Amino acid sequence: MMSAGKVLVLHGPNLNLLGTRQPEIYGYETLEDINNGLYEKAAVNGWDIECRQSNHEGELIDAIHAARQDGTVAIIINPAAYTHTSVAILDALNTFEGKVIEVHLSNVHKRESFRHHSYVSLRADGVIAGLGSQGYHAALDALIKTAE
Ligand code: DQA
């Protein structure tokens, strides 16, 4: 099957600890569980997908820069705490011409007020919050459907 497109999934800081990190908020699935589900969905639909996690702002920015040049058509990003602090990640996403979907496992609007503002939302084409790991699947489904 020909690839329908390439998607980069970027997970920000502390998301490597999923499954054991405040599971009452973020769920019991590990990051590997989530990524495996996304790899499977992409494969079934003929899409290429790359899932990356970093605890470092600059590494997330470098991954966004690489996506500008390797045929990536969309970025699904959970910037984690950098959502609320990082003008640099917003600036990097503003240099990317494809679709950007922002995902949060928890409903950030139901939580502390510092989580209510997102720099990344100024660029995102879509935002999903509060659906747990299903949010990543909803994002990928939307990209696949939109491209059909
Ligand atoms: C998060 C929400 C952020 O406020 C938090 O800093 C995270 C995860 C989420 O997926 O719900 O690390 O992005």
Side-chain angles (χ1 to χ4, degrees):
M1 200 191 291
M2 239 181 60
S3 168
K6 181 169 177 188
V7 179
L8 173 66
V9 180
L10 270 184
H11 305 282
N14 300 304
L15 296 174
N16 54 312
L17 300 181
L18 282 182
T20 57
R21 172 196 183 200
Q22 297 181 282
E24 65 290 355
I25 296 177
Y26 297 116
Y28 287 89
E29 272 176 286
T30 65
L31 192 62
E32 200 185 348
D33 294 333
I34 293 174
N35 288 343
N36 284 342
L38 296 174
Y39 279 118
E40 196 176 317
K41 184 184 295 273
V44 166
N45 289 282
W47 284 60
D48 280 340
I49 196 166
E50 183 188 350
C51 301
R52 296 186 57 179
Q53 188 275 332
S54 178
N55 293 324
H56 305 279
E57 191 173 19
E59 270 181 25
L60 295 165
I61 291 165
D62 288 345
I64 294 165
H65 291 178
R68 301 172 73 229
Q69 288 169 337
D70 68 359
T72 297
V73 298
I75 298 176
I76 296 172
I77 182 167
N78 182 348
Y82 289 138
T83 307
H84 319 298
T85 64
S86 182
V87 175
I89 289 177
L90 169 64
D91 284 352
L93 289 169
N94 276 331
T95 74
F96 175 74
E97 288 182 354
K99 287 251 181 236
V100 174
I101 305 185
E102 176 182 350
V103 172
H104 300 285
L105 294 153
S106 64
N107 180 359
V108 283
H109 301 290
K110 211 170 143 181
R111 301 180 63 194
E112 304 96 320
S113 60
F114 65 83
R115 297 186 203 275
H116 297 177
H117 177 262
S118 165
Y119 284 103
V120 170
S121 290
L122 292 167
R123 166 63 180 87
D125 298 296
V127 182
I128 300 168
L131 301 184
S133 65
Q134 283 306 313
Y136 293 99
H137 284 275
L140 187 53
D141 283 339
L143 290 171
I144 292 168
K145 282 264 178 224
T146 308
E148 272 171 10

